Amino acid sequence: MGLFEAEMSGDAFQLLGMSEMGMLPAIFASRSKHGTPTISILLSATGVIFLSWMSFQEILEFLNFLYSIGMLLEFAAFIKLRIKKPDLHRPYKVPFQTFGAIMLCVPPALLLVLVMCLASLRTFFASGAVIIVGLLLYRILVLVKDRNLMQFCSEQPAVESHSVVSQQLQEVADEAAIGLLSDLSAKTEEESSEIRFEGVLKVD
């Protein structure tokens, strides 16, 4: 249950981040009074409900199949960026030339293809349907965004909201620090008065 809640929360906040970056409609960026992305959580829960008609083994095959496709796309993007944009600024870089980077991706790519080949026919159809629906949804979202049929967040407000949240958190931290300091100073004054009182009693 803990892993399930963590996974659903992670997926919901991914949808929230995509909405704040303008990749999804702004409705997915809406939060409740507790700060939780309500619409994104409901969408993630709906996806889980649709998976309930599959057996546990089929769910594992389905998730591994889609994960393998995602990893193959990441490898392809890695190699394409190495070839097309070798001088692009990177926070870190694999210390190989282009050929070495390609050879580095070959063993895990073969393993991923093997995992996909071991899937059942039902998993192939389900995964293919999900991929087709995803491509169609992407085209629809681009069309909706170009024609302004739905409201989308821009990147700048997302940064501003993030800075506002950070400022609020800083204010809360400052208030907490002030409260701790005031409590500490009050406690110090009480201890000092007790020490003075004990000194007077000793003198008497």
Side-chain angles (χ1 to χ4, degrees):
M1 286 297 296
L3 290 173
F4 170 73
E5 292 291 341
E7 179 66 24
M8 192 167 66
S9 299
D11 294 340
F13 276 97
Q14 284 181 1
L15 294 174
L16 171 69
M18 293 173 67
S19 179
E20 290 179 345
M21 294 173 63
M23 300 173 67
L24 289 176
I27 189 174
F28 292 102
S30 60
R31 294 173 180 257
S32 67
K33 63 180 181 179
H34 304 290
T36 53
T38 309
I39 304 298
S40 299
I41 291 176
L42 289 176
L43 184 63
S44 299
T46 304
V48 173
I49 292 173
F50 279 116
L51 289 176
S52 61
W53 60 275
M54 303 172 67
S55 66
F56 183 71
Q57 182 178 355
E58 289 173 338
I59 291 175
L60 288 180
E61 292 180 359
F62 178 66
L63 294 179
N64 286 333
F65 194 94
L66 293 179
Y67 175 79
S68 300
I69 293 177
M71 288 302 301
L72 290 174
L73 290 175
E74 289 185 19
F75 290 151
F78 166 66
I79 295 172
K80 182 178 179 180
L81 285 175
R82 269 299 188 94
I83 296 174
K84 298 290 185 180
K85 298 181 179 181
D87 298 327
L88 183 68
H89 175 71
R90 295 170 171 84
Y92 58 88
K93 187 176 181 180
V94 178
F96 294 110
Q97 298 298 325
T98 303
F99 180 77
I102 294 174
M103 291 296 102
L104 186 68
C105 296
V106 169
L110 293 176
L111 182 60
L112 292 171
V113 172
L114 176 62
V115 170
M116 294 170 64
C117 292
L118 294 176
S120 62
L121 189 61
R122 190 176 185 180
T123 303
F124 272 101
F125 284 121
S127 302
V130 169
I131 293 171
I132 293 173
V133 170
L135 293 175
L136 292 176
L137 284 177
Y138 175 75
R139 296 298 181 184
I140 293 173
L141 283 175
V142 171
L143 184 63
V144 169
K145 189 174 183 180
D146 291 339
R147 297 188 178 183
N148 294 325
L149 299 178
M150 295 185 69
Q151 184 181 0
F152 284 80
C153 298
S154 58
E155 294 186 12
Q156 187 64 26
V159 174
E160 291 178 357
S161 71
H162 178 71
S163 62
V164 170
V165 172
S166 300
Q167 184 178 359
Q168 292 175 350
L169 292 176
Q170 183 63 36
E171 291 176 357
V172 171
D174 293 339
E175 291 176 0
I178 292 172
L180 289 174
L181 288 175
S182 61
D183 293 341
L184 182 61
S185 61
K187 194 176 293 184
T188 305
E189 290 177 359
E190 291 177 359
E191 291 176 354
S192 301
S193 62
E194 289 177 359
I195 292 173
R196 286 197 298 269
F197 183 69
E198 290 176 358
V200 171
L201 290 178
K202 287 181 181 179
V203 171
D204 292 342

